[in-house]
Amino acid sequence: MSDPLRPRASLRTAVVWEVLRDALDRRVKAAAPAGGVLDVLDTGGGSGKFAVPLAALGHRVTVVDPSPNALFALERRAAEAGVAERVRGVQGDASGLFEVVERGSYDVVLCHGVLEYVDDPAQGVRNVIEALRPAGTLSLLAAGLGGAVLARALAGHFTEARQVLDDPAGHWGAGDPVPRRFTAEQLSELVTAEGLQVGSVHGVRVFSDLVPGVLLDAEPGAREALAKLEAAAAALPAFHSVATQLHVLAERG
């Protein structure tokens, strides 16, 4: 049976969701907040694909995003899910984070799909970490360098695949919509440099971006089998180097 609280596009987000939900459960048990409710900050949270399910679990979620359209969609999605009173959207970005939220005010901070686009990733990580309370948890999701190399090579774009390897930012050219990519080691170093301890690293979308959709639609049970394969491979370091995205969970102290 599918989880009604799981974010949409679950084949791509299932690994992150399971890791994050377990971390929230641990944080509730450790911190014992009133009513078991945590304060969550979702930077770059857009239309709320994580924020709304987290609010459905009973937590208070603040979404910071630079797009008014995304925040409007967030408001509508939260209302449709019946959690509007637990979701707050504010316009802003990681570089000016403390113009719209307070330092040290959140039990959990999500920084998903943000570091690829900021001018200074180290400063971006520093800002989101400063938003955490003592013993807070950071969920960091960013584009993986190796996954882009593999995808370009399998598409027959060998020069672009080589460019990803050679470019310091992991960028394959003028048509590349992603300005920057990371290795698992680079993301881990960004958070440990700010005093956090890495709890886990997972590869996200190791296989799902490479499997033709027609195969998933034609074979009964294929989507469920692929989801299980993704979950089994996600924590294995050997697959981090070919994942489309990388997820790092880190904690203070």
Side-chain angles (χ1 to χ4, degrees):
M1 181 179 296
S2 62
D3 183 349
L5 300 179
R6 189 189 296 270
R8 294 179 183 178
S10 61
L11 188 58
R12 294 187 171 192
T13 59
V15 170
V16 179
W17 176 245
E18 294 305 329
V19 172
L20 182 58
R21 188 165 181 172
D22 287 346
L24 289 165
D25 289 343
R26 291 196 304 271
R27 180 58 54 208
V28 167
K29 292 176 182 177
V37 177
L38 299 173
D39 290 304
V40 180
L41 174 64
D42 188 355
T43 59
S47 61
K49 68 178 181 180
F50 278 92
V52 170
L54 290 174
L57 293 176
H59 304 299
R60 292 182 293 264
V61 187
T62 298
V63 176
V64 176
D65 196 278
S67 169
N69 290 337
L71 294 175
F72 178 77
L74 166 71
E75 182 178 351
R76 184 174 62 242
R77 178 181 282 185
E80 290 173 352
V83 296
E85 74 282 0
R86 292 195 291 276
V87 176
R88 180 172 72 102
V90 293
Q91 190 172 0
D93 56 33
S95 61
L97 187 60
F98 300 114
E99 297 173 8
V100 293
V101 301
E102 294 184 6
R103 284 180 168 84
S105 299
Y106 297 91
D107 301 292
V108 179
V109 172
L110 278 59
C111 183
H112 294 175
V114 172
L115 293 189
E116 298 94 323
Y117 303 98
V118 299
D119 293 332
D120 185 346
Q123 183 60 51
V125 169
R126 189 173 303 121
N127 281 357
V128 296
I129 289 175
E130 287 181 5
L132 285 172
R133 289 173 175 154
T137 298
L138 172 66
S139 175
L140 183 63
L141 181 68
L145 186 145
V149 175
L150 185 61
R152 299 318 292 169
L154 290 178
H157 303 302
F158 307 120
T159 300
E160 293 176 352
R162 175 62 185 271
Q163 177 65 18
V164 176
L165 285 175
D166 292 341
D167 186 77
H171 193 70
W172 54 254
D176 190 346
V178 180
R180 186 179 289 105
R181 296 180 176 87
F182 303 87
T183 65
E185 292 75 17
Q186 288 171 334
L187 289 177
S188 296
E189 288 170 3
L190 283 172
V191 298
T192 57
E194 299 303 321
L196 267 65
Q197 298 175 353
V198 174
S200 64
V201 179
H202 288 82
V204 180
R205 293 157 58 185
V206 176
F207 308 105
S208 59
D209 287 357
L210 304 175
V211 177
V214 65
L215 294 180
L216 298 180
D217 295 333
E219 184 71 23
R223 289 185 180 275
E224 292 76 10
L226 179 55
K228 291 179 180 179
L229 178 61
E230 288 276 0
L236 301 177
F239 291 99
H240 295 168
S241 60
V242 295
T244 299
Q245 293 179 307
L246 295 163
H247 182 244
V248 175
L249 190 78
E251 298 181 342
R252 282 190 183 277

